[in-house]
Amino acid sequence: MISALNRLVDLVEERLGEELDLGSVAKGLGTTEYHLRRMFSSLAGMPLSEYIRRRRMTVAAGEVVRGEDDLLGIAVRYGYGSTEAFGRAFRAVHGAGPGEVRRDGGPLRTQPHLRFRLTVEGSTPMDTRIADRPAFRLIGHAARVPLIHAGVNPHIQQHIASLPAAAHQRLKELGDTEPAGLLQVTDGVEPDAPEGSELTYLHGVAVTGRTPVPDDLDAIEVPAGKWAVFRAGGPFPDTLQATWAATATEWFPSNPWRLRPGPSIVTILERADDFSTATTELWLPVEPA
């Protein structure tokens, strides 16, 4: 995976003025577009699309400052059909338009050429198992919320708090398959997973495909497949979020698996009364790499 990501950034550099056919690139690298985008955004801290935009504007800025070509020619060279579109993208990165930068020599905000490296640090081994599950359903109460990478998501908190106590007990009684217990489900996450993008959050349980879904509950159909299950315990939600990050930085680069499209599921196995600590399982849909 590390090698594939480095080849990807090299291709971005070689084709800054072109639209990458990422599906073909991923196939040539022996992976999928979905996994490539998810791993890039997890490790780089930004979506691939944002990295490409920043690199284009970094290199284009050098040409703007040199003043050898007109702005339309530079815009076209970097994939923009007009100076207006180029100017908007340029200002979004540098905080000033190309005309201002050509006149004043700045300000400029540089995006370095990324390189990915796998660092072995002797960290605590991850408690992981691979589960092969038949098709099942996730049922419960769903809401659209923005993605927040670190800390408690207040939108999810508000959604759960709005449910009466009886709703939680009812869900517990409906659950009849793994993952067991009340579940925190995220679905519909963009492959690049930028901060603030919308996703579907479902507070619910897993049921077999034969279990009828009550009319007042939302449902997500989950096809048969394999899951990587990561168990972790400690301060909540910090330990869970650290585990999630470590799947990208440590586990996937070191194991012959890749993410496949599907929901991510968290189940709480044990917790303190005030939820300050918890033992959790993170379920991620995977396929052989």
Side-chain angles (χ1 to χ4, degrees):
M1 196 66 243
I2 298 298
S3 175
L5 288 170
N6 282 325
R7 180 55 185 148
L8 172 62
V9 295
D10 287 343
L11 288 171
V12 167
E13 209 66 19
E14 293 167 13
R15 307 175 190 177
L16 278 178
E18 306 172 25
E19 287 298 320
L20 275 182
D21 180 352
L22 198 58
S24 296
V25 170
K27 186 175 180 181
L29 294 173
T31 186
T32 64
E33 179 178 349
Y34 182 85
H35 185 66
L36 198 60
R37 285 187 182 274
R38 288 294 295 270
M39 289 298 99
F40 184 96
S41 62
S42 295
L43 294 173
M46 72 182 90
L48 176 61
S49 57
E50 176 65 13
Y51 173 71
I52 292 173
R53 185 170 68 97
R54 291 184 188 181
R55 280 301 298 158
R56 280 178 177 165
M57 293 303 101
T58 294
V59 178
E63 299 190 21
V64 168
V65 171
R66 284 196 297 273
E68 297 173 359
D69 295 320
D70 63 81
L71 294 180
L72 179 58
I74 297 172
V76 170
R77 187 150 53 248
Y78 290 97
Y80 294 88
S82 68
T83 54
E84 290 79 11
F86 175 69
R88 287 193 296 271
F90 194 95
R91 183 176 292 276
V93 171
H94 298 293
E100 300 167 78
V101 167
R102 173 161 283 183
R103 183 187 67 237
D104 302 330
L108 295 175
R109 296 173 183 161
T110 300
Q111 170 61 59
H113 185 172
L114 284 180
R115 299 305 297 174
F116 294 91
R117 292 181 176 85
L118 179 60
T119 302
V120 179
E121 299 178 332
S123 58
T124 303
M126 300 184 73
D127 185 352
T128 313
R129 62 188 171 94
I130 302 297
D132 195 351
R133 300 287 295 120
F136 61 94
R137 289 191 181 108
L138 296 163
I139 64 172
H141 302 275
R144 294 289 288 173
V145 300
L147 174 63
I148 296 177
H149 287 300
V152 174
N153 189 319
H155 307 279
I156 291 176
Q157 275 192 321
Q158 183 179 4
H159 173 59
I160 296 174
S162 70
L163 301 174
H168 303 287
Q169 185 58 41
R170 178 193 180 203
L171 287 172
K172 290 179 182 178
E173 293 170 356
L174 286 171
D176 61 10
T177 191
E178 277 198 304
L182 285 175
L183 308 175
Q184 302 173 3
V185 180
T186 55
D187 193 31
V189 180
E190 296 177 31
D192 283 341
E195 181 99 8
S197 60
E198 279 204 334
L199 56 89
T200 296
Y201 175 84
L202 181 134
H203 180 73
V205 293
V207 298
T208 67
R210 300 182 302 275
T211 302
V213 181
D215 293 338
D216 61 335
L217 295 182
D218 302 296
I220 298 172
E221 299 291 335
V222 183
K226 296 185 184 299
W227 298 76
V229 184
F230 304 88
R231 180 180 291 222
F236 185 86
D238 297 5
T239 300
L240 173 61
Q241 290 171 342
T243 299
W244 206 307
T247 66
T249 59
E250 298 180 31
W251 195 81
F252 280 110
S254 306
N255 288 276
W257 299 92
R258 66 189 178 204
L259 283 168
R260 59 182 171 85
S264 302
I265 304 170
V266 173
T267 179
I268 309 296
L269 303 178
E270 298 176 355
R271 68 177 179 86
D273 291 340
D274 62 357
F275 234 131
S276 60
T277 62
T279 299
T280 63
E281 280 189 345
L282 168 62
W283 290 59
L284 298 179
V286 297
E287 62 188 5

